[in-house]
PDB file of all heavy atoms in Angstrom:
ATOM      1  N   LYS N  17       0.782  -1.233   0.009  1.00 92.00           N
ATOM      2  CA  LYS N  17       0.013  -0.003   0.022  1.00 92.00           C
ATOM      3  C   LYS N  17       0.827   1.278  -0.006  1.00 92.00           C
ATOM      4  O   LYS N  17       0.527   2.191  -0.689  1.00 92.00           O
ATOM      5  CB  LYS N  17      -0.927   0.015   1.219  1.00 92.00           C
ATOM      6  CG  LYS N  17      -1.920  -1.104   1.298  1.00 92.00           C
ATOM      7  CD  LYS N  17      -2.951  -1.109   0.253  1.00 92.00           C
ATOM      8  CE  LYS N  17      -4.091  -2.055   0.567  1.00 92.00           C
ATOM      9  NZ  LYS N  17      -3.736  -3.456   0.779  1.00 92.00           N
ATOM     10  N   PHE N  18       1.912   1.294   0.794  1.00 94.00           N
ATOM     11  CA  PHE N  18       2.700   2.532   0.974  1.00 94.00           C
ATOM     12  C   PHE N  18       4.005   2.611   0.214  1.00 94.00           C
ATOM     13  O   PHE N  18       4.521   3.690   0.024  1.00 94.00           O
ATOM     14  CB  PHE N  18       2.956   2.692   2.494  1.00 94.00           C
ATOM     15  CG  PHE N  18       1.730   2.735   3.328  1.00 94.00           C
ATOM     16  CD1 PHE N  18       1.693   2.140   4.605  1.00 94.00           C
ATOM     17  CD2 PHE N  18       0.579   3.398   2.928  1.00 94.00           C
ATOM     18  CE1 PHE N  18       0.569   2.141   5.387  1.00 94.00           C
ATOM     19  CE2 PHE N  18      -0.576   3.442   3.715  1.00 94.00           C
ATOM     20  CZ  PHE N  18      -0.603   2.817   4.949  1.00 94.00           C
ATOM     21  N   LYS N  19       4.528   1.442  -0.212  1.00 94.00           N
ATOM     22  CA  LYS N  19       5.748   1.484  -0.916  1.00 94.00           C
ATOM     23  C   LYS N  19       5.678   0.865  -2.332  1.00 94.00           C
ATOM     24  O   LYS N  19       6.581   0.924  -3.128  1.00 94.00           O
ATOM     25  CB  LYS N  19       6.866   0.667  -0.170  1.00 94.00           C
ATOM     26  CG  LYS N  19       7.329   1.367   1.138  1.00 94.00           C
ATOM     27  CD  LYS N  19       8.378   0.496   1.807  1.00 94.00           C
ATOM     28  CE  LYS N  19       9.002   1.205   3.054  1.00 94.00           C
ATOM     29  NZ  LYS N  19       9.886   2.331   2.579  1.00 94.00           N
ATOM     30  N   GLY N  20       4.541   0.219  -2.638  1.00 94.00           N
ATOM     31  CA  GLY N  20       4.314  -0.310  -3.966  1.00 94.00           C
ATOM     32  C   GLY N  20       5.099  -1.566  -4.244  1.00 94.00           C
ATOM     33  O   GLY N  20       5.389  -1.895  -5.429  1.00 94.00           O
ATOM     34  N   THR N  21       5.463  -2.322  -3.216  1.00 95.00           N
ATOM     35  CA  THR N  21       6.222  -3.568  -3.441  1.00 95.00           C
ATOM     36  C   THR N  21       5.901  -4.567  -2.327  1.00 95.00           C
ATOM     37  O   THR N  21       5.504  -4.209  -1.205  1.00 95.00           O
ATOM     38  CB  THR N  21       7.786  -3.275  -3.302  1.00 95.00           C
ATOM     39  OG1 THR N  21       8.478  -4.459  -3.567  1.00 95.00           O
ATOM     40  CG2 THR N  21       8.112  -2.601  -2.045  1.00 95.00           C
ATOM     41  N   THR N  22       6.000  -5.867  -2.709  1.00 94.00           N
ATOM     42  CA  THR N  22       5.812  -6.897  -1.742  1.00 94.00           C
ATOM     43  C   THR N  22       7.139  -7.232  -1.088  1.00 94.00           C
ATOM     44  O   THR N  22       7.142  -8.032  -0.064  1.00 94.00           O
ATOM     45  CB  THR N  22       5.283  -8.187  -2.396  1.00 94.00           C
ATOM     46  OG1 THR N  22       6.227  -8.640  -3.358  1.00 94.00           O
ATOM     47  CG2 THR N  22       3.934  -7.903  -3.057  1.00 94.00           C
ATOM     48  N   TYR N  23       8.218  -6.737  -1.557  1.00 96.00           N
ATOM     49  CA  TYR N  23       9.561  -7.180  -1.137  1.00 96.00           C
ATOM     50  C   TYR N  23       9.993  -6.377   0.114  1.00 96.00           C
ATOM     51  O   TYR N  23      10.265  -5.168  -0.016  1.00 96.00           O
ATOM     52  CB  TYR N  23      10.569  -7.019  -2.230  1.00 96.00           C
ATOM     53  CG  TYR N  23      11.930  -7.557  -1.976  1.00 96.00           C
ATOM     54  CD1 TYR N  23      12.106  -8.772  -1.348  1.00 96.00           C
ATOM     55  CD2 TYR N  23      13.065  -6.824  -2.341  1.00 96.00           C
ATOM     56  CE1 TYR N  23      13.380  -9.275  -1.057  1.00 96.00           C
ATOM     57  CE2 TYR N  23      14.338  -7.322  -2.081  1.00 96.00           C
ATOM     58  CZ  TYR N  23      14.500  -8.496  -1.395  1.00 96.00           C
ATOM     59  OH  TYR N  23      15.737  -9.014  -1.139  1.00 96.00           O
ATOM     60  N   VAL N  24      10.178  -7.023   1.256  1.00 96.00           N
ATOM     61  CA  VAL N  24      10.735  -6.385   2.417  1.00 96.00           C
ATOM     62  C   VAL N  24      12.237  -6.656   2.424  1.00 96.00           C
ATOM     63  O   VAL N  24      12.725  -7.675   2.836  1.00 96.00           O
ATOM     64  CB  VAL N  24      10.077  -6.995   3.704  1.00 96.00           C
ATOM     65  CG1 VAL N  24      10.598  -6.297   5.003  1.00 96.00           C
ATOM     66  CG2 VAL N  24       8.558  -6.915   3.616  1.00 96.00           C
ATOM     67  N   ASP N  25      12.938  -5.698   1.859  1.00 94.00           N
ATOM     68  CA  ASP N  25      14.363  -5.941   1.559  1.00 94.00           C
ATOM     69  C   ASP N  25      15.290  -6.094   2.729  1.00 94.00           C
ATOM     70  O   ASP N  25      16.391  -6.627   2.513  1.00 94.00           O
ATOM     71  CB  ASP N  25      14.857  -4.754   0.614  1.00 94.00           C
ATOM     72  CG  ASP N  25      14.710  -3.405   1.226  1.00 94.00           C
ATOM     73  OD1 ASP N  25      14.209  -3.286   2.369  1.00 94.00           O
ATOM     74  OD2 ASP N  25      15.140  -2.415   0.575  1.00 94.00           O
ATOM     75  N   PHE N  26      14.904  -5.680   3.895  1.00 95.00           N
ATOM     76  CA  PHE N  26      15.851  -5.834   5.013  1.00 95.00           C
ATOM     77  C   PHE N  26      15.675  -7.181   5.740  1.00 95.00           C
ATOM     78  O   PHE N  26      16.489  -7.475   6.613  1.00 95.00           O
ATOM     79  CB  PHE N  26      15.649  -4.669   6.073  1.00 95.00           C
ATOM     80  CG  PHE N  26      14.278  -4.688   6.684  1.00 95.00           C
ATOM     81  CD1 PHE N  26      13.967  -5.477   7.755  1.00 95.00           C
ATOM     82  CD2 PHE N  26      13.304  -3.769   6.205  1.00 95.00           C
ATOM     83  CE1 PHE N  26      12.675  -5.421   8.356  1.00 95.00           C
ATOM     84  CE2 PHE N  26      12.046  -3.728   6.762  1.00 95.00           C
ATOM     85  CZ  PHE N  26      11.741  -4.532   7.817  1.00 95.00           C
ATOM     86  N   MET N  27      14.732  -7.939   5.324  1.00 96.00           N
ATOM     87  CA  MET N  27      14.494  -9.239   5.998  1.00 96.00           C
ATOM     88  C   MET N  27      15.014 -10.402   5.058  1.00 96.00           C
ATOM     89  O   MET N  27      14.508 -10.574   4.018  1.00 96.00           O
ATOM     90  CB  MET N  27      12.979  -9.414   6.251  1.00 96.00           C
ATOM     91  CG  MET N  27      12.636 -10.632   7.104  1.00 96.00           C
ATOM     92  SD  MET N  27      10.815 -10.704   7.438  1.00 96.00           S
ATOM     93  CE  MET N  27      10.581  -9.271   8.454  1.00 96.00           C
ATOM     94  N   GLU N  28      16.021 -11.140   5.548  1.00 95.00           N
ATOM     95  CA  GLU N  28      16.598 -12.178   4.771  1.00 95.00           C
ATOM     96  C   GLU N  28      16.197 -13.569   5.197  1.00 95.00           C
ATOM     97  O   GLU N  28      16.159 -14.484   4.375  1.00 95.00           O
ATOM     98  CB  GLU N  28      18.149 -12.098   4.826  1.00 95.00           C
ATOM     99  CG  GLU N  28      18.665 -10.773   4.201  1.00 95.00           C
ATOM    100  CD  GLU N  28      20.199 -10.752   4.202  1.00 95.00           C
ATOM    101  OE1 GLU N  28      20.823 -11.699   4.761  1.00 95.00           O
ATOM    102  OE2 GLU N  28      20.797  -9.822   3.597  1.00 95.00           O
ATOM    103  N   ASN N  29      15.885 -13.719   6.485  1.00 97.00           N
ATOM    104  CA  ASN N  29      15.453 -15.012   7.003  1.00 97.00           C
ATOM    105  C   ASN N  29      14.264 -14.828   7.942  1.00 97.00           C
ATOM    106  O   ASN N  29      14.216 -13.816   8.698  1.00 97.00           O
ATOM    107  CB  ASN N  29      16.552 -15.724   7.761  1.00 97.00           C
ATOM    108  CG  ASN N  29      17.762 -15.938   6.885  1.00 97.00           C
ATOM    109  OD1 ASN N  29      17.829 -16.802   6.005  1.00 97.00           O
ATOM    110  ND2 ASN N  29      18.860 -15.133   7.164  1.00 97.00           N
ATOM    111  N   TYR N  30      13.312 -15.697   7.908  1.00 98.00           N
ATOM    112  CA  TYR N  30      12.106 -15.580   8.773  1.00 98.00           C
ATOM    113  C   TYR N  30      11.703 -16.950   9.307  1.00 98.00           C
ATOM    114  O   TYR N  30      11.813 -17.987   8.625  1.00 98.00           O
ATOM    115  CB  TYR N  30      10.938 -14.980   7.946  1.00 98.00           C
ATOM    116  CG  TYR N  30       9.652 -15.014   8.766  1.00 98.00           C
ATOM    117  CD1 TYR N  30       9.355 -14.122   9.759  1.00 98.00           C
ATOM    118  CD2 TYR N  30       8.707 -16.045   8.534  1.00 98.00           C
ATOM    119  CE1 TYR N  30       8.203 -14.164  10.534  1.00 98.00           C
ATOM    120  CE2 TYR N  30       7.556 -16.122   9.269  1.00 98.00           C
ATOM    121  CZ  TYR N  30       7.304 -15.165  10.275  1.00 98.00           C
ATOM    122  OH  TYR N  30       6.152 -15.264  11.006  1.00 98.00           O
ATOM    123  N   ALA N  31      11.153 -16.928  10.531  1.00 98.00           N
ATOM    124  CA  ALA N  31      10.587 -18.149  11.177  1.00 98.00           C
ATOM    125  C   ALA N  31       9.386 -17.810  11.971  1.00 98.00           C
ATOM    126  O   ALA N  31       9.298 -16.726  12.629  1.00 98.00           O
ATOM    127  CB  ALA N  31      11.574 -18.857  11.969  1.00 98.00           C
ATOM    128  N   ASP N  32       8.373 -18.639  11.961  1.00 97.00           N
ATOM    129  CA  ASP N  32       7.181 -18.483  12.761  1.00 97.00           C
ATOM    130  C   ASP N  32       7.436 -19.103  14.178  1.00 97.00           C
ATOM    131  O   ASP N  32       7.433 -20.316  14.282  1.00 97.00           O
ATOM    132  CB  ASP N  32       5.975 -19.192  12.057  1.00 97.00           C
ATOM    133  CG  ASP N  32       4.702 -19.035  12.792  1.00 97.00           C
ATOM    134  OD1 ASP N  32       4.690 -18.674  13.966  1.00 97.00           O
ATOM    135  OD2 ASP N  32       3.645 -19.330  12.148  1.00 97.00           O
ATOM    136  N   VAL N  33       7.619 -18.274  15.114  1.00 97.00           N
ATOM    137  CA  VAL N  33       7.966 -18.750  16.471  1.00 97.00           C
ATOM    138  C   VAL N  33       6.798 -19.448  17.132  1.00 97.00           C
ATOM    139  O   VAL N  33       6.945 -20.396  17.923  1.00 97.00           O
ATOM    140  CB  VAL N  33       8.526 -17.666  17.354  1.00 97.00           C
ATOM    141  CG1 VAL N  33       7.423 -16.605  17.739  1.00 97.00           C
ATOM    142  CG2 VAL N  33       9.191 -18.211  18.602  1.00 97.00           C
ATOM    143  N   GLN N  34       5.550 -19.061  16.775  1.00 96.00           N
ATOM    144  CA  GLN N  34       4.411 -19.753  17.300  1.00 96.00           C
ATOM    145  C   GLN N  34       4.409 -21.183  16.782  1.00 96.00           C
ATOM    146  O   GLN N  34       4.173 -22.149  17.619  1.00 96.00           O
ATOM    147  CB  GLN N  34       3.105 -19.065  16.835  1.00 96.00           C
ATOM    148  CG  GLN N  34       1.833 -19.690  17.375  1.00 96.00           C
ATOM    149  CD  GLN N  34       0.620 -19.221  16.646  1.00 96.00           C
ATOM    150  OE1 GLN N  34       0.484 -19.336  15.426  1.00 96.00           O
ATOM    151  NE2 GLN N  34      -0.330 -18.675  17.363  1.00 96.00           N
ATOM    152  N   LYS N  35       4.578 -21.381  15.530  1.00 95.00           N
ATOM    153  CA  LYS N  35       4.563 -22.711  14.977  1.00 95.00           C
ATOM    154  C   LYS N  35       5.670 -23.548  15.593  1.00 95.00           C
ATOM    155  O   LYS N  35       5.503 -24.780  15.828  1.00 95.00           O
ATOM    156  CB  LYS N  35       4.722 -22.610  13.445  1.00 95.00           C
ATOM    157  CG  LYS N  35       4.598 -23.948  12.667  1.00 95.00           C
ATOM    158  CD  LYS N  35       4.690 -23.678  11.200  1.00 95.00           C
ATOM    159  CE  LYS N  35       4.518 -24.985  10.432  1.00 95.00           C
ATOM    160  NZ  LYS N  35       4.592 -24.754   8.939  1.00 95.00           N
ATOM    161  N   TYR N  36       6.869 -22.983  15.818  1.00 96.00           N
ATOM    162  CA  TYR N  36       7.962 -23.699  16.412  1.00 96.00           C
ATOM    163  C   TYR N  36       7.624 -24.118  17.823  1.00 96.00           C
ATOM    164  O   TYR N  36       7.804 -25.296  18.238  1.00 96.00           O
ATOM    165  CB  TYR N  36       9.226 -22.810  16.383  1.00 96.00           C
ATOM    166  CG  TYR N  36      10.323 -23.437  17.204  1.00 96.00           C
ATOM    167  CD1 TYR N  36      11.054 -24.525  16.687  1.00 96.00           C
ATOM    168  CD2 TYR N  36      10.742 -22.963  18.429  1.00 96.00           C
ATOM    169  CE1 TYR N  36      12.052 -25.127  17.419  1.00 96.00           C
ATOM    170  CE2 TYR N  36      11.738 -23.486  19.182  1.00 96.00           C
ATOM    171  CZ  TYR N  36      12.428 -24.604  18.653  1.00 96.00           C
ATOM    172  OH  TYR N  36      13.388 -25.166  19.425  1.00 96.00           O
ATOM    173  N   CYS N  37       7.103 -23.186  18.628  1.00 96.00           N
ATOM    174  CA  CYS N  37       6.798 -23.506  20.026  1.00 96.00           C
ATOM    175  C   CYS N  37       5.690 -24.584  20.178  1.00 96.00           C
ATOM    176  O   CYS N  37       5.703 -25.349  21.163  1.00 96.00           O
ATOM    177  CB  CYS N  37       6.367 -22.234  20.782  1.00 96.00           C
ATOM    178  SG  CYS N  37       7.738 -21.067  21.085  1.00 96.00           S
ATOM    179  N   MET N  38       4.770 -24.600  19.260  1.00 94.00           N
ATOM    180  CA  MET N  38       3.607 -25.513  19.387  1.00 94.00           C
ATOM    181  C   MET N  38       4.073 -27.008  19.319  1.00 94.00           C
ATOM    182  O   MET N  38       3.361 -27.817  19.864  1.00 94.00           O
ATOM    183  CB  MET N  38       2.570 -25.224  18.271  1.00 94.00           C
ATOM    184  CG  MET N  38       1.707 -24.003  18.550  1.00 94.00           C
ATOM    185  SD  MET N  38       0.640 -23.507  17.170  1.00 94.00           S
ATOM    186  CE  MET N  38      -0.210 -25.027  16.866  1.00 94.00           C
ATOM    187  N   GLN N  39       5.198 -27.256  18.682  1.00 92.00           N
ATOM    188  CA  GLN N  39       5.630 -28.638  18.649  1.00 92.00           C
ATOM    189  C   GLN N  39       6.064 -29.176  20.013  1.00 92.00           C
ATOM    190  O   GLN N  39       6.256 -30.403  20.198  1.00 92.00           O
ATOM    191  CB  GLN N  39       6.751 -28.830  17.642  1.00 92.00           C
ATOM    192  CG  GLN N  39       8.042 -28.132  18.011  1.00 92.00           C
ATOM    193  CD  GLN N  39       9.193 -28.426  17.010  1.00 92.00           C
ATOM    194  OE1 GLN N  39       9.270 -29.568  16.457  1.00 92.00           O
ATOM    195  NE2 GLN N  39      10.002 -27.400  16.778  1.00 92.00           N
ATOM    196  N   PHE N  40       6.257 -28.290  20.959  1.00 94.00           N
ATOM    197  CA  PHE N  40       6.667 -28.677  22.313  1.00 94.00           C
ATOM    198  C   PHE N  40       5.491 -28.819  23.278  1.00 94.00           C
ATOM    199  O   PHE N  40       5.669 -29.033  24.480  1.00 94.00           O
ATOM    200  CB  PHE N  40       7.688 -27.694  22.868  1.00 94.00           C
ATOM    201  CG  PHE N  40       8.972 -27.696  22.074  1.00 94.00           C
ATOM    202  CD1 PHE N  40       9.183 -26.801  21.091  1.00 94.00           C
ATOM    203  CD2 PHE N  40       9.993 -28.567  22.404  1.00 94.00           C
ATOM    204  CE1 PHE N  40      10.303 -26.749  20.356  1.00 94.00           C
ATOM    205  CE2 PHE N  40      11.167 -28.516  21.677  1.00 94.00           C
ATOM    206  CZ  PHE N  40      11.357 -27.629  20.629  1.00 94.00           C
ATOM    207  N   ILE N  41       4.298 -28.658  22.790  1.00 91.00           N
ATOM    208  CA  ILE N  41       3.077 -28.711  23.594  1.00 91.00           C
ATOM    209  C   ILE N  41       2.470 -30.057  23.421  1.00 91.00           C
ATOM    210  O   ILE N  41       1.995 -30.448  22.280  1.00 91.00           O
ATOM    211  CB  ILE N  41       2.065 -27.594  23.224  1.00 91.00           C
ATOM    212  CG1 ILE N  41       2.732 -26.229  23.523  1.00 91.00           C
ATOM    213  CG2 ILE N  41       0.782 -27.755  24.105  1.00 91.00           C
ATOM    214  CD1 ILE N  41       1.926 -25.036  23.087  1.00 91.00           C
ATOM    215  N   ASP N  42       2.352 -30.875  24.429  1.00 84.00           N
ATOM    216  CA  ASP N  42       1.810 -32.223  24.389  1.00 84.00           C
ATOM    217  C   ASP N  42       0.321 -32.174  24.103  1.00 84.00           C
ATOM    218  O   ASP N  42      -0.407 -31.310  24.601  1.00 84.00           O
ATOM    219  CB  ASP N  42       2.078 -32.991  25.639  1.00 84.00           C
ATOM    220  CG  ASP N  42       3.611 -33.231  25.829  1.00 84.00           C
ATOM    221  OD1 ASP N  42       4.287 -33.303  24.813  1.00 84.00           O
ATOM    222  OD2 ASP N  42       4.037 -33.325  27.039  1.00 84.00           O
ATOM    223  N   ASN N  43      -0.186 -33.164  23.310  1.00 73.00           N
ATOM    224  CA  ASN N  43      -1.585 -33.335  23.128  1.00 73.00           C
ATOM    225  C   ASN N  43      -2.298 -32.079  22.559  1.00 73.00           C
ATOM    226  O   ASN N  43      -3.444 -31.803  22.831  1.00 73.00           O
ATOM    227  CB  ASN N  43      -2.313 -33.753  24.425  1.00 73.00           C
ATOM    228  CG  ASN N  43      -1.732 -34.994  24.992  1.00 73.00           C
ATOM    229  OD1 ASN N  43      -1.466 -35.983  24.305  1.00 73.00           O
ATOM    230  ND2 ASN N  43      -1.579 -35.009  26.334  1.00 73.00           N
ATOM    231  N   HIS N  44      -1.520 -31.364  21.720  1.00 69.00           N
ATOM    232  CA  HIS N  44      -2.136 -30.183  21.124  1.00 69.00           C
ATOM    233  C   HIS N  44      -2.926 -30.557  19.936  1.00 69.00           C
ATOM    234  O   HIS N  44      -2.507 -31.429  19.144  1.00 69.00           O
ATOM    235  CB  HIS N  44      -1.026 -29.161  20.771  1.00 69.00           C
ATOM    236  CG  HIS N  44      -1.540 -27.841  20.434  1.00 69.00           C
ATOM    237  ND1 HIS N  44      -1.819 -27.439  19.162  1.00 69.00           N
ATOM    238  CD2 HIS N  44      -1.926 -26.784  21.203  1.00 69.00           C
ATOM    239  CE1 HIS N  44      -2.251 -26.175  19.159  1.00 69.00           C
ATOM    240  NE2 HIS N  44      -2.390 -25.762  20.395  1.00 69.00           N
ATOM    241  N   ASP N  45      -4.054 -29.905  19.680  1.00 71.00           N
ATOM    242  CA  ASP N  45      -4.949 -30.249  18.555  1.00 71.00           C
ATOM    243  C   ASP N  45      -4.570 -29.660  17.230  1.00 71.00           C
ATOM    244  O   ASP N  45      -5.248 -29.869  16.208  1.00 71.00           O
ATOM    245  CB  ASP N  45      -6.390 -29.867  18.896  1.00 71.00           C
ATOM    246  CG  ASP N  45      -6.567 -28.338  19.170  1.00 71.00           C
ATOM    247  OD1 ASP N  45      -5.599 -27.606  18.936  1.00 71.00           O
ATOM    248  OD2 ASP N  45      -7.658 -27.963  19.582  1.00 71.00           O
ATOM    249  N   GLY N  46      -3.475 -28.897  17.186  1.00 70.00           N
ATOM    250  CA  GLY N  46      -3.008 -28.345  15.920  1.00 70.00           C
ATOM    251  C   GLY N  46      -3.452 -26.943  15.642  1.00 70.00           C
ATOM    252  O   GLY N  46      -2.992 -26.233  14.735  1.00 70.00           O
ATOM    253  N   ASN N  47      -4.487 -26.463  16.393  1.00 79.00           N
ATOM    254  CA  ASN N  47      -4.970 -25.109  16.224  1.00 79.00           C
ATOM    255  C   ASN N  47      -3.949 -24.125  16.806  1.00 79.00           C
ATOM    256  O   ASN N  47      -3.207 -24.434  17.743  1.00 79.00           O
ATOM    257  CB  ASN N  47      -6.284 -24.913  16.921  1.00 79.00           C
ATOM    258  CG  ASN N  47      -7.453 -25.729  16.203  1.00 79.00           C
ATOM    259  OD1 ASN N  47      -7.474 -25.792  14.999  1.00 79.00           O
ATOM    260  ND2 ASN N  47      -8.362 -26.262  17.001  1.00 79.00           N
ATOM    261  N   GLN N  48      -4.011 -22.886  16.300  1.00 86.00           N
ATOM    262  CA  GLN N  48      -3.062 -21.869  16.813  1.00 86.00           C
ATOM    263  C   GLN N  48      -3.334 -21.572  18.279  1.00 86.00           C
ATOM    264  O   GLN N  48      -4.453 -21.599  18.752  1.00 86.00           O
ATOM    265  CB  GLN N  48      -3.204 -20.595  15.999  1.00 86.00           C
ATOM    266  CG  GLN N  48      -2.634 -20.690  14.595  1.00 86.00           C
ATOM    267  CD  GLN N  48      -2.650 -19.398  13.856  1.00 86.00           C
ATOM    268  OE1 GLN N  48      -3.367 -18.542  14.154  1.00 86.00           O
ATOM    269  NE2 GLN N  48      -1.769 -19.291  12.896  1.00 86.00           N
ATOM    270  N   ILE N  49      -2.296 -21.324  19.001  1.00 90.00           N
ATOM    271  CA  ILE N  49      -2.396 -21.043  20.414  1.00 90.00           C
ATOM    272  C   ILE N  49      -1.943 -19.594  20.709  1.00 90.00           C
ATOM    273  O   ILE N  49      -1.038 -19.101  20.065  1.00 90.00           O
ATOM    274  CB  ILE N  49      -1.460 -22.056  21.200  1.00 90.00           C
ATOM    275  CG1 ILE N  49      -1.671 -21.942  22.703  1.00 90.00           C
ATOM    276  CG2 ILE N  49      -0.042 -21.879  20.864  1.00 90.00           C
ATOM    277  CD1 ILE N  49      -1.066 -23.053  23.510  1.00 90.00           C
ATOM    278  N   SER N  50      -2.613 -18.983  21.655  1.00 91.00           N
ATOM    279  CA  SER N  50      -2.294 -17.578  21.974  1.00 91.00           C
ATOM    280  C   SER N  50      -0.947 -17.538  22.698  1.00 91.00           C
ATOM    281  O   SER N  50      -0.471 -18.479  23.331  1.00 91.00           O
ATOM    282  CB  SER N  50      -3.366 -16.983  22.873  1.00 91.00           C
ATOM    283  OG  SER N  50      -3.332 -17.517  24.163  1.00 91.00           O
ATOM    284  N   LEU N  51      -0.361 -16.428  22.660  1.00 91.00           N
ATOM    285  CA  LEU N  51       0.923 -16.156  23.298  1.00 91.00           C
ATOM    286  C   LEU N  51       0.848 -16.341  24.802  1.00 91.00           C
ATOM    287  O   LEU N  51       1.669 -16.987  25.445  1.00 91.00           O
ATOM    288  CB  LEU N  51       1.435 -14.766  22.937  1.00 91.00           C
ATOM    289  CG  LEU N  51       2.804 -14.292  23.626  1.00 91.00           C
ATOM    290  CD1 LEU N  51       3.909 -15.311  23.301  1.00 91.00           C
ATOM    291  CD2 LEU N  51       3.145 -12.895  23.120  1.00 91.00           C
ATOM    292  N   SER N  52      -0.205 -15.781  25.426  1.00 89.00           N
ATOM    293  CA  SER N  52      -0.345 -15.889  26.835  1.00 89.00           C
ATOM    294  C   SER N  52      -0.617 -17.316  27.312  1.00 89.00           C
ATOM    295  O   SER N  52      -0.096 -17.763  28.338  1.00 89.00           O
ATOM    296  CB  SER N  52      -1.514 -14.994  27.332  1.00 89.00           C
ATOM    297  OG  SER N  52      -2.733 -15.366  26.662  1.00 89.00           O
TER     298      SER N  52
END
């Protein structure tokens, strides 16, 4: 909207920390979990 590009040039690597943390939760149903 503001820069006319999809490319975020300063970001070279990205990871979803929520997705990573969820693998350590036992018996989780796969739905997203809140931070709190």
Side-chain angles (χ1 to χ4, degrees):
K17 298 294 193 305
F18 302 142
K19 291 179 172 290
T21 179
T22 61
Y23 185 44
V24 182
D25 56 0
F26 62 82
M27 189 177 296
E28 295 184 354
N29 302 286
Y30 171 80
D32 181 345
V33 69
Q34 180 195 58
K35 188 175 181 180
Y36 172 72
C37 287
M38 282 172 56
Q39 68 175 324
F40 295 92
I41 298 174
D42 294 333
N43 302 317
H44 193 264
D45 58 8
N47 293 321
Q48 290 187 334
I49 188 170
S50 71
L51 177 58
S52 58

